[in-house]
């Protein structure tokens, strides 16, 4: 059996960790409440509809769920990506296709859709170290128009340690995740990534940061 130190850390381990932490209804609900200043308590009301890779479709999103007649698409990014509105356009089209697959678009009645909401949680370097940036699909259009006929807005939240403290304090798991990432970054500047991650994991467990999750999932 290989020791933990001999297991190579994945390049996108921060993205994977975020998805794993917020893969349950309970944890997603805590994040939703923190973002929306809401107080939902029944996690069974939340329906996870995250896209998965399919044979015919090389497309998946991080977390998607239905709650209160809203379709929430949550993405995590460890590097700055200005193309998220275009990516979310593809995601939401596929989500809607799945959600209304039993409906017909050629009828005389209006097909109802859940309201889409697009959020990106970014622990990469944000432009000007901003805490919040709204990206628009129309920013990608080669020609500017006053009122674009197709628009999609994505809110990008800076989740680096020390940023968006109100949000962090409202969601303990998100705050502890940001503290873990900050520790990995600090150690990675002094040692190889494998050693940095292992040291950060051991210290976080001993200090009660993501303790339960890391004890169960650190392998």
């Amino acid at each position: 059996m290989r020791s933990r130190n001999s297991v190579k850390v994945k390049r996108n381990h921060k993205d994977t960790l975020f998805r794993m932490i917020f893969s349950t209804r309970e944890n997603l609900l805590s994040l939703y409440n923190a973002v929306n200043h809401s107080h939902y308590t029944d996690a069974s009301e939340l329906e996870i509809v995250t896209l998965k890779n399919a044979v015919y479709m090389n497309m998946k999103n991080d977390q998607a769920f239905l709650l209160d007649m809203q379709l929430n698409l949550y993405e995590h990014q460890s590097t700055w990506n200005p193309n998220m509105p275009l990516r979310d356009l593809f995601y939401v089209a596929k989500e809607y296709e799945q959600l209304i697959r039993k409906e017909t678009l050629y009828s005389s009645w209006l097909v109802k859709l859940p309201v889409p909401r697009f959020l990106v949680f970014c622990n990469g370097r944000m432009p000007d170290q901003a805490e919040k940036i709204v990206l628009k699909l129309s920013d990608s259009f080669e020609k500017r128009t006053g009122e674009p006929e197709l628009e999609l807005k994505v809110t990008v939240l800076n989740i680096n340690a020390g940023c968006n403290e109100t949000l962090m304090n409202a969601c303990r798991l998100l705050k502890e995740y940001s503290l873990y990432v900050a520790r990995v970054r600090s150690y990675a500047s002094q040692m190889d990534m494998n050693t940095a991650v292992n040291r950060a994991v051991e210290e976080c467990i001993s200090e009660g940061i993501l303790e339960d999750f890391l004890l169960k999932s650190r392998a």
Side-chain angles (χ1 to χ4, degrees):
M1 176 183 255
R2 292 185 298 175
S3 69
R4 284 194 292 271
N5 286 330
S6 68
V7 178
K8 186 175 181 180
V9 173
K10 295 171 62 176
R11 178 187 60 82
N12 62 339
H13 72 277
K14 293 190 290 294
D15 297 331
T16 302
L17 181 60
F18 184 91
R19 287 194 299 271
M20 290 177 67
I21 292 172
F22 294 105
S23 63
T24 67
R25 289 178 177 179
E26 292 76 14
N27 292 353
L28 261 182
L29 185 61
S30 71
L31 184 58
Y32 177 91
N33 282 334
V35 168
N36 294 282
H37 311 290
S38 54
H39 303 281
Y40 289 94
T41 57
D42 188 357
S44 67
E45 295 180 1
L46 185 153
E47 179 184 356
I48 297 176
V49 292
T50 306
L51 289 174
K52 304 296 183 182
N53 269 336
V55 173
Y56 63 92
M57 179 184 69
N58 185 24
M59 181 185 297
K60 64 183 180 68
N61 60 293
D62 286 345
Q63 300 294 349
F65 60 96
L66 296 166
L67 181 65
D68 190 25
M69 294 178 287
Q70 293 183 8
L71 172 59
N72 302 274
L73 280 85
Y74 287 3
E75 291 289 316
H76 174 274
Q77 291 289 306
S78 51
T79 57
W80 173 249
N81 188 332
N83 298 306
M84 285 309 303
L86 183 57
R87 288 174 54 180
D88 272 335
L89 177 64
F90 298 143
Y91 294 157
V92 76
K94 184 57 66 175
E95 288 283 5
Y96 280 149
E97 183 180 345
Q98 297 296 314
L99 291 173
I100 65 167
R101 61 186 180 277
K102 295 181 181 179
E103 303 281 351
T104 175
L105 300 183
Y106 300 98
S107 64
S108 59
W109 61 82
L110 184 66
V111 174
K112 296 290 188 177
L113 301 172
V115 178
R117 295 201 62 203
F118 307 97
L119 277 179
V120 173
F121 299 88
C122 181
N123 63 12
R125 183 176 292 278
M126 298 267 288
D128 301 320
Q129 299 300 306
E131 294 203 339
K132 174 182 175 180
I133 293 177
V134 177
L135 299 175
K136 299 179 181 179
L137 180 65
S138 59
D139 293 337
S140 301
F141 297 163
E142 292 185 345
K143 182 179 179 180
R144 296 285 183 178
T145 59
E147 296 183 9
E149 295 185 12
L150 177 63
E151 185 64 281
L152 188 152
K153 298 178 181 179
V154 178
T155 299
V156 184
L157 299 174
N158 190 336
I159 59 168
N160 286 296
C163 296
N164 281 304
E165 292 188 1
T166 299
L167 172 63
M168 297 294 188
N169 290 333
C171 183
R172 177 184 59 82
L173 286 171
L174 185 64
K175 183 173 184 177
E176 292 184 3
Y177 169 78
S178 72
L179 292 173
Y180 162 80
V181 171
R183 195 163 300 201
V184 170
R185 279 206 183 112
S186 175
Y187 293 151
S189 66
Q190 311 164 35
M191 59 192 74
D192 68 89
M193 182 58 75
N194 267 33
T195 305
V197 167
N198 282 311
R199 179 173 173 182
V201 166
E202 295 296 337
E203 289 186 0
C204 284
I205 289 173
S206 68
E207 296 174 25
I209 299 171
L210 293 179
E211 180 181 6
D212 291 342
F213 177 82
L214 291 174
L215 283 172
K216 295 176 182 176
S217 310
R218 59 181 170 183

